Amino acid sequence: MMKTDDLNGRVYDAPSDNWVYRVLPRPAWPYAQLARWDRPIGWQLLMWPCFWSSALAANVAARGEKLSLGLFVFHLLLFFLGSVAMRGAGCTYNDLVDHEIDNAVARTRSRPLPSGRVSRFEAKVFLVLQALVGLLVLLQFNGFAILLGILSLAVVAIYPFAKRFTDWPQFFLGLAFSWGALMGWAGLFGSLSWAPVLLYLGSVAWTIGYDTIYAHQDKEDDALVGVRSTARLFGANTKAWLVGLYGLTLVLLLAAYAGADVGFIAYLGLFVAAVMFAWQILILDIDNPDQCLQLFKFNTRVGAVIFAGLVLALPFA
């Protein structure tokens, strides 16, 4: 078993030169690791659907000459803060649920709970504090968006258990991680329409795709401890499944764009994203854990490109 001391207070699957270890006092490290502040990819992937939805709604508002640029930027700031807080809370909750599983998997047994650097009680207190920050952010929106945000907690609560009863835990992750695709629109308009719903479904397909790549890192350990995943389910057919999942993402986002009547530059951004999806599938080696991690992280660039296209389309809405 990996010794925590060998990692000098760090975790096995995170960069050892992260700002967490340069800026925060050492007693704070385990909590930063629980919240995954040393791995920003998580909150980034949670944030992009929020940003997409805000920008999609902004295109509609701009077309009606009702766009408040200050409100748009304020909502982006709220979604950034909310993504960091709720990603941290979600990871802390997930680690509490998966305590024993993490102890049995080489990549995760150096995390704060299985390594004993944080007690379960301390983790629960930290979870509540992060959730309160998320609640404070949520309360800045209208009543409809607040209710919608609260409803997401049902999916978040189920996700950590999904790997125990289905081969599709990535689907449940997609339902939770893509919720922001509804929130951005709801935050601006206080309602929903088909455009954000299609955006949400497209984001779900995207999440299943990139998290399948991520799950290939752990497939051997997962098989030993009985954890199920789409990586194990798809196996050697993963590339074909990714063609379908990423293709579905593009089709659904195209439909959302058409429903919102966005400017043409948004479609150019989606074309660039399509090329980035194709590149991932082309070079993927499911038996190379390091490459799987890098391709998983690459998806934050995909998210950024899609968002940039929507923002650059605003003057042409």
Side-chain angles (χ1 to χ4, degrees):
M1 181 178 289
M2 183 188 309
K3 300 295 185 182
T4 303
D5 290 345
D6 295 340
L7 296 171
N8 196 29
R10 291 161 171 78
V11 291
Y12 177 74
D13 58 343
S16 60
D17 61 346
N18 188 270
W19 70 270
V20 163
Y21 308 114
R22 298 194 306 270
V23 175
L24 296 182
R26 194 180 184 94
W29 289 6
Y31 298 98
Q33 292 161 357
L34 274 176
R36 308 295 196 272
W37 294 342
D38 53 345
R39 278 165 286 183
I41 184 62
W43 63 256
Q44 291 168 2
L45 292 173
L46 181 63
M47 179 187 73
W48 288 126
C50 304
F51 275 30
W52 298 350
S53 187
S54 285
L56 190 71
N59 271 264
V60 174
R63 192 171 63 248
E65 298 184 352
K66 296 179 180 179
L67 175 63
S68 166
L69 185 59
L71 182 63
F72 174 55
V73 173
F74 178 58
H75 281 183
L76 294 182
L77 175 61
L78 289 176
F79 284 127
F80 162 69
L81 295 173
S83 295
V84 174
M86 295 312 295
R87 169 58 175 166
C91 287
T92 304
Y93 171 67
N94 192 75
D95 283 3
L96 283 163
V97 172
D98 286 347
H99 190 162
E100 296 304 321
I101 291 177
D102 285 347
N103 198 40
V105 175
R107 187 177 61 83
T108 57
R109 65 170 61 109
S110 62
R111 289 178 178 176
L113 274 168
S115 66
R117 287 179 289 122
V118 170
S119 70
R120 291 185 63 84
F121 175 77
E122 291 168 335
K124 290 174 182 177
V125 171
F126 186 51
L127 167 61
V128 170
L129 292 174
Q130 293 175 93
L132 288 174
V133 173
L135 177 61
L136 181 61
V137 169
L138 183 61
L139 292 176
Q140 307 310 305
F141 291 99
N142 58 65
F144 180 84
I146 291 171
L147 177 60
L148 190 64
I150 292 172
L151 290 176
S152 71
L153 296 178
V155 181
V156 172
I158 293 171
Y159 165 65
F161 300 97
K163 65 176 73 73
R164 295 164 168 82
F165 64 80
T166 178
D167 291 323
W168 290 84
Q170 280 69 28
F171 171 71
F172 287 89
L173 178 69
L175 293 178
F177 251 57
S178 302
W179 204 265
L182 303 173
M183 292 296 297
W185 186 284
L188 188 61
F189 293 128
S191 63
L192 288 176
S193 72
W194 277 110
V197 171
L198 291 167
L199 189 74
Y200 174 68
L201 295 176
S203 182
V204 171
W206 178 52
T207 305
I208 297 171
Y210 69 63
D211 203 62
T212 295
I213 295 174
Y214 181 83
H216 271 289
Q217 295 177 93
D218 298 328
K219 58 191 174 186
E220 294 180 1
D221 283 335
D222 287 348
L224 289 174
V225 299
V227 169
R228 301 159 75 175
S229 72
T230 48
R232 293 184 61 200
L233 177 66
F234 300 164
N237 296 318
T238 292
K239 285 193 175 186
W241 276 95
L242 288 176
V243 169
L245 289 164
Y246 283 161
L248 182 60
T249 300
L250 294 169
V251 169
L252 288 168
L253 264 60
L254 274 171
Y257 285 16
D261 195 20
V262 299
F264 73 97
I265 293 182
Y267 292 95
L268 294 179
L270 205 55
F271 173 76
V272 175
V275 173
M276 297 168 83
F277 283 147
W279 177 77
Q280 290 181 57
I281 297 169
L282 182 65
I283 72 166
L284 175 64
D285 178 359
I286 60 173
D287 295 317
N288 183 338
D290 291 337
Q291 190 215 47
C292 287
L293 179 60
Q294 291 307 311
L295 288 179
F296 163 73
K297 291 181 177 180
F298 179 75
N299 277 276
T300 193
R301 300 182 185 180
V302 176
V305 164
I306 293 173
F307 174 64
L310 286 165
V311 171
L312 292 173
L314 284 173
F316 305 96

